[in-house]
Amino acid sequence: MKTSKNKTKFVILGLLSEEPLTGYEIKKIVDTRFGFFWSESFGQIYPELKRLEGEGLIIGNELLANENQSGKASKKYKITEIGRGDLRKWLAEPVEKIAVRYEILLKMYFSNNTTPEVILNHIREFQIIHKKQQFIFDRIEDELRGNIDLHENHQAILTVLSLGQKLEVSYVDWSNEVINLLEGKLKNS
Amino acid sequence: MKTSKNKTKFVILGLLSEEPLTGYEIKKIVDTRFGFFWSESFGQIYPELKRLEGEGLIIGNELLANENQSGKASKKYKITEIGRGDLRKWLAEPVEKIAVRYEILLKMYFSNNTTPEVILNHIREFQIIHKKQQFIFDRIEDELRGNIDLHENHQAILTVLSLGQKLEVSYVDWSNEVINLLEGKLKNS
DNA sequence: GGCGGCATGTAAGTTGTTACATGATTAA
DNA sequence: TTAATCATGTAACAACTTACATGCCGCC
């Protein structure tokens, strides 16, 4: 089974399977809810929405400027039955292996070419970012556990969040180890 | 400080900072040693080597077919002092935030649109892959700890590996949790 | 004789980012 | 009045993948 590329399509279909949305709203949801494991830009979303409408997988409904809360006309899309079919088919396809890029590990690997101080600063910065993210995730978890029926896919959201939390623990633990190691090295020199 | 894009450049400079290499060897090293946090294709490496040579950051040395172990002529590149300067400059620049794409979390998030069995199969597959990877990393660690002076950047390699190991633990733990949850759901239905 | 590994390279296509243009409303 | 938010869309570019062409050597 050949796996489908063009994941933007399925991000859109997946989000529209819950409720009708505009392109702008899709982008916002991807940024806030999927931020730690996915990203999409407007330059991908808008042309893709047009394409999917052309294929009959979604249908758009124009809203006049006075019908929504903004000053500009917008377009709310909803998924069709054909769209749901494509979504289900993709869900059953084999999962593509995770794709990651950690520039920090590249710099760590090549760290012989610079001073320990330079690397230490990077790791400290890294740790600050991930401690913050850890805090945010824990907040989100509290909120979700307090409102069990806010989303119909409540359990799925918690499961996704759970991997995010575990990864943040790994990042913070690892940076602690590296900071200790590098600080020890600096003291002995 | 604006961060440099075009990371292929620094992967090449970084690897050449240790020893002269051919394009083919660079690709092999990226695949085997950086595989879990980075990737480069031939289509990126070969044109980039040409460009870097044109800029005087590296210099290539042609080897005839009979001078190496293959049947084809090859080109060994080594880094210049200017190249080392660029590498050091990049090492001091702020680190770009990690970029990840977990298609499995997308499917998890949208799992309401399919059956628990479909998701369960994906998670089981995911777990098999990451248990294998965990085993491989532990092997590499044993090997490295047994040969302390194989590489001059020995400690850096262990540090990079350490994050890989922690991430694999997260993946395996998480998939265990999800498998238990979904199997429970299937029994109660 | 065929396959896998060594080895280089290009072309075409896809994917994704960034910047820009447009423009109304609301809050500081 | 100015910045932020809502909102859509395109153009240019940069990054990256995939397939292909070429060809020797050693092994089974």
Side-chain angles (χ1 to χ4, degrees):
Chain A
M1 211 184 327
K2 209 184 87 225
T3 50
S4 314
K5 299 161 284 85
N6 190 10
K7 304 298 160 54
T8 307
K9 171 177 171 180
F10 301 106
V11 171
I12 291 173
L13 291 179
L15 288 177
L16 295 186
S17 80
E18 291 175 42
E19 54 176 333
L21 297 165
T22 67
Y24 192 82
E25 289 169 330
I26 289 169
K27 167 75 168 138
K28 241 191 345 184
I29 294 175
V30 171
D31 285 352
T32 57
R33 302 224 280 261
F34 296 178
F36 87 89
F37 68 88
W38 206 264
S39 69
E40 296 288 346
S41 66
F42 284 125
Q44 289 167 275
I45 293 169
Y46 285 117
E48 189 64 23
L49 282 169
K50 237 178 207 176
R51 245 205 62 229
L52 294 179
E53 191 176 22
E55 290 178 6
L57 305 182
I58 61 177
I59 42 172
N61 187 27
E62 316 258 357
L63 295 180
L64 298 177
N66 54 313
E67 288 180 283
N68 57 23
Q69 37 285 316
S70 87
K72 231 191 158 184
S74 64
K75 210 166 170 188
K76 234 2 165 206
Y77 291 91
K78 61 173 197 270
I79 194 167
T80 65
E81 273 314 305
I82 315 171
R84 282 187 196 276
D86 269 32
L87 177 62
R88 264 193 303 272
K89 232 160 56 189
W90 167 72
L91 283 167
E93 281 177 21
V95 179
E96 199 181 69
K97 82 172 220 283
I98 61 175
V100 300
R101 279 203 142 188
Y102 294 176
E103 200 194 16
I104 199 164
L105 291 188
L106 229 39
K107 292 196 179 181
M108 190 72 229
Y109 196 97
F110 300 137
S111 58
N112 270 143
N113 298 280
T114 189
T115 62
E117 285 92 344
V118 164
I119 300 298
L120 193 51
N121 284 335
H122 290 328
I123 306 289
R124 282 189 182 130
E125 184 59 34
F126 180 84
Q127 191 175 64
I128 290 168
I129 291 168
H130 291 288
K131 276 186 173 170
K132 269 184 201 159
Q133 193 57 56
Q134 220 175 9
F135 181 78
I136 292 169
F137 282 163
D138 290 345
R139 284 291 162 127
I140 294 174
E141 195 196 342
D142 291 345
E143 214 197 311
L144 283 171
R145 296 213 185 271
N147 289 287
I148 300 190
D149 18 59
L150 241 169
H151 305 90
E152 64 215 84
N153 57 341
H154 182 79
Q155 185 53 61
I157 296 175
L158 278 173
T159 302
V160 169
L161 183 64
S162 165
L163 181 56
Q165 288 172 310
K166 285 180 197 300
L167 294 179
E168 295 305 329
V169 170
S170 293
Y171 297 146
V172 173
D173 278 4
W174 177 77
S175 46
N176 259 330
E177 280 179 21
V178 182
I179 289 169
N180 287 155
L181 199 98
L182 292 177
E183 282 178 346
K185 210 186 226 176
L186 282 177
K187 243 180 278 168
N188 293 18
S189 68
Chain B
M1 207 182 335
K2 210 184 84 226
T3 50
S4 313
K5 300 161 282 86
N6 191 10
K7 303 299 160 54
T8 307
K9 171 177 171 180
F10 301 107
V11 171
I12 291 173
L13 292 179
L15 288 177
L16 295 186
S17 80
E18 292 175 41
E19 55 177 332
L21 296 166
T22 67
Y24 192 83
E25 288 168 330
I26 290 170
K27 166 74 167 141
K28 240 190 346 184
I29 294 175
V30 171
D31 285 352
T32 57
R33 302 224 279 260
F34 296 179
F36 86 91
F37 68 88
W38 206 264
S39 68
E40 297 288 346
S41 66
F42 284 126
Q44 289 167 274
I45 293 169
Y46 285 117
E48 189 64 22
L49 283 169
K50 237 178 207 178
R51 244 205 61 230
L52 295 179
E53 191 176 22
E55 290 177 7
L57 304 182
I58 61 177
I59 42 172
N61 187 26
E62 316 257 358
L63 296 180
L64 299 177
N66 53 312
E67 287 181 282
N68 57 24
Q69 36 286 316
S70 85
K72 229 191 161 184
S74 65
K75 210 166 171 188
K76 234 1 165 212
Y77 290 92
K78 60 172 198 270
I79 194 167
T80 65
E81 273 316 304
I82 317 172
R84 281 187 197 277
D86 268 32
L87 177 62
R88 265 193 302 273
K89 234 161 53 192
W90 166 74
L91 283 167
E93 280 176 22
V95 180
E96 199 181 68
K97 82 172 220 283
I98 61 175
V100 299
R101 280 202 143 190
Y102 293 178
E103 199 194 17
I104 198 164
L105 291 188
L106 228 39
K107 292 196 178 180
M108 190 71 230
Y109 196 97
F110 300 137
S111 58
N112 270 142
N113 298 281
T114 188
T115 62
E117 285 91 346
V118 164
I119 301 298
L120 194 51
N121 283 335
H122 291 327
I123 306 289
R124 282 189 182 132
E125 185 59 34
F126 180 84
Q127 191 175 64
I128 291 169
I129 292 168
H130 292 287
K131 277 187 171 168
K132 270 185 199 157
Q133 193 57 57
Q134 221 177 8
F135 181 79
I136 292 169
F137 282 163
D138 290 346
R139 284 293 163 125
I140 295 174
E141 195 196 343
D142 290 346
E143 213 196 311
L144 282 171
R145 296 212 186 271
N147 289 287
I148 300 191
D149 18 59
L150 241 170
H151 304 91
E152 63 214 85
N153 58 342
H154 181 78
Q155 184 53 62
I157 297 175
L158 278 173
T159 302
V160 168
L161 182 64
S162 165
L163 182 55
Q165 288 171 310
K166 285 181 198 300
L167 294 179
E168 296 304 329
V169 170
S170 293
Y171 297 146
V172 173
D173 279 2
W174 177 77
S175 46
N176 259 329
E177 281 180 19
V178 181
I179 288 168
N180 287 155
L181 198 97
L182 291 178
E183 282 179 347
K185 211 187 227 175
L186 283 177
K187 244 179 277 166
N188 294 19
S189 66

